[in-house]
Amino acid sequence: PPAPESHTFEADVAKLLHLMVHSVYSDKDVFLRELISNAADACEKLRYEAISHPALLGDDPKARITLLIDADNRRLTVEDNGIGMSRDEMVEALGTIARSGTRAFMDRIQAAQGGEGAQLIGQFGVGFYSAFMVADRVDVVSRRAGSDEATIWSSDGKGSYTVAPIALVEAPARGTRVVLHLMEDAKSYTERYRLERIVKSQSGHVPVPISLIEKPGAEPQEVADGAALWVKPRSEITPEEYTDFYRGVAGQFDEPALTVHFRAEGRHEYTALAFVPGSTPFDLFDPDRHGRMKLYVKRVFITDEAEILPRYLRFVRGLVDSADLPLNVSREMIQESPLLAAIKKGVTNRVLSELDKLAQNDAEAYTKVWETFGPVLKEGLYEDFERRQILLGLARFRTTASAGGWRSLNEYVSALKENQTAIYYVTGTELARLEASPQLEGFRARGIEVLLLPDPVDSFWVTAAIDYEGKPFKSVTQGAADLALIPLTEAKQEIDTNATEAVARFIQSVKETLGESVADVRASERLTESAVCLVASETGMDRQLERLLARAGQ
Ligand code: ADP
Ligand code: MG
């Protein structure tokens, strides 16, 4: 056979490879995702070409990806029976930077300083070359569909590569075999369970089945079946399949409380499959507050950091699969994409409307969701002005009239007293203490319902100057409420709360005693049993917020 031709890499490739080899980034697993995604792409390309040239499929029509472990020789092989590459295609595809995503990545690298570049690799993967993070030599043996020539491409990733023809018996019958000669510190990629776990978590929903051969000569074992669940119509998916999928994607072991699965068509085409967990995920109150929605492009996993849902929906798990976004765009490019903005909006609105539907149709199930995630959803009341009314509609409250249950604002508003102009609330840290608050006496005595707000987040949204159905939210602790206009219920009628002269004298002496400690001392309509209570001024800060800020040293 002719001697292998030696080629030097395009300057940019050489730079990129240098970075790969010297990558200190710890999450090297991404190389496998890249190679599998290339293998799957190759199968999809063949599938497409075979539409007009069915002969290309020969007697092997079923796409497959096979991982072969050879621990003794510290080798890992990724093989596909896809479209394959001719010699010229290999030189072009593996010797130059052909794809725009990698090009953009390189631009970032040029701007970034050493260490940061290595970080960037792990964040979005840069295709085929990431193999050099784990291998000190990579051989690619390929035979294009329909061709009777095969080629071997080989490189140590240090500036040059060779290409040479190879005997057909040493090549796959069709497609590409990528052989990684693993570095000493990457030999764990010959451990079967490790590979299985990585494949399932990164590529479990690639649209081509993936098998694993544990050692040379062993039988292939399927690790992923190649069926992307979300692509199937809803009517063909059983609840068990949804649950299994949810468990895989959410890392939870319970049943989802709500499953949202839809396909958006028209201007932007995408599929979303999202779940509200049935119980509290361990990282619900993680200070990072990261969402966990995965972004796929044409069934290839791209990132779970695209923040598809707002932070107050961070408990929702699932994915979006876009047909329009380019594959392999960088995270930054994704974030700025108007396509992604449209997806975010569509998915957020849909999740909220499905929650609302659940609330209408299955109050009991919805109550469970609210009990688990209510405090997080309430963050949206001050973070998402645009959807505040929807969120207020979804909110449920303990109130002085809820008798241990939950009330919606719709229920509250439809039970307003005559002359009642506001929705009253009291904030605090403990429900039991709120219920016993003397601030409520005057309201109770008049049969006016008061929202009991025990979550830290409550103090923030109630001060955001909002209303529901035209009724403002008002704290019971803030100045004189419109209690005067609402009569006491009968039992309390005889109590006279008019400030008589004696009361005036008493107030005067209290004022003198307390001096600077209080802004004012007033007779009040709000108490029926207790003698005194502390209130904030009408324009001042709510008492609970005041306390929170004091604690934060403000
Ligand atoms: P991308 O997949 O985004 O194009 P990669 O760096 O992952 O970028 O791969 C570069 C190119 O190499 C691919 O576009 C494809 O042409 C070729 N290639 C890589 N792996 C395979 C494969 N298994 N089968 C056929 N072609 C491949
Ligand atoms: Mg690729």
Side-chain angles (χ1 to χ4, degrees), residues 142-327:
S142 195
R143 179 173 173 186
R144 204 179 195 290
S147 163
D148 47 17
E149 285 170 11
T151 312
I152 177 165
W153 177 102
S154 183
S155 177
D156 59 4
K158 296 208 174 76
S160 67
Y161 63 90
T162 59
V163 278
I166 191 169
L168 290 183
V169 288
E170 290 183 67
R174 179 186 72 220
T176 302
R177 175 184 299 155
V178 178
V179 184
L180 308 176
H181 302 262
L182 296 169
M183 295 172 192
E184 168 64 32
D185 67 358
K187 66 167 180 259
S188 62
Y189 293 111
T190 57
E191 289 162 18
R192 175 192 167 167
Y193 294 104
R194 182 175 159 94
L195 283 180
E196 245 186 83
R197 196 164 39 76
I198 299 172
V199 170
K200 282 188 174 142
S201 68
Q202 288 187 349
S203 314
H205 309 293
V206 156
V208 178
I210 303 171
S211 319
L212 195 108
I213 298 177
E214 207 171 349
K215 53 178 182 259
E219 283 295 303
Q221 313 240 301
E222 192 171 271
V223 283
D225 70 1
L229 183 76
W230 63 88
V231 178
K232 293 203 226 165
R234 278 197 301 190
S235 57
E236 287 174 21
I237 304 174
T238 64
E240 290 73 30
E241 284 179 301
Y242 274 130
T243 298
D244 278 350
F245 185 80
Y246 156 74
R247 290 178 179 171
V249 76
Q252 301 247 130
F253 299 95
D254 54 358
E255 301 279 327
L258 179 68
T259 300
V260 180
H261 185 192
F262 70 97
R263 192 188 314 273
E265 263 149 13
R267 232 152 66 79
H268 303 304
E269 245 178 71
Y270 61 90
T271 299
L273 176 52
F275 302 91
V276 173
S279 55
T280 315
F282 71 96
D283 57 351
L284 184 60
F285 292 101
D286 188 330
D288 281 354
R289 308 204 310 159
H290 261 316
R292 288 284 183 279
M293 285 288 282
K294 299 182 181 205
L295 178 66
Y296 282 74
V297 174
K298 301 181 192 82
R299 294 185 297 282
V300 175
F301 173 70
I302 304 295
T303 176
D304 56 6
E305 296 188 357
E307 312 213 357
I308 289 164
L309 289 171
R311 287 181 298 177
Y312 63 85
L313 288 175
R314 63 185 175 275
F315 53 86
V316 177
R317 302 291 141 109
L319 61 93
V320 170
D321 188 354
S322 159
D324 307 326
L325 280 169
L327 203 64

Side-chain angles (χ1 to χ4, degrees), residues 76-88:
L76 174 65
T77 300
V78 180
E79 183 167 326
D80 64 72
N81 63 348
I83 189 78
M85 286 176 278
S86 68
R87 177 204 170 276
D88 290 353

Side-chain angles (χ1 to χ4, degrees), residues 16 33-43 45 78-86 89-90 92-102 126-130 140-142 175-178 327-328:
L16 186 55
R33 173 183 88 193
E34 296 297 331
L35 296 184
I36 288 176
S37 119
N38 284 349
D41 287 350
C43 292
K45 279 182 207 161
V78 180
E79 183 167 326
D80 64 72
N81 63 348
I83 189 78
M85 286 176 278
S86 68
E89 283 170 333
M90 274 173 129
E92 169 66 23
L94 307 181
T96 62
I97 291 187
R99 55 186 215 163
S100 57
T102 309
V126 281
F128 171 76
Y129 302 115
S130 56
V140 183
V141 182
S142 195
T176 302
R177 175 184 299 155
V178 178
L327 203 64
N328 293 308

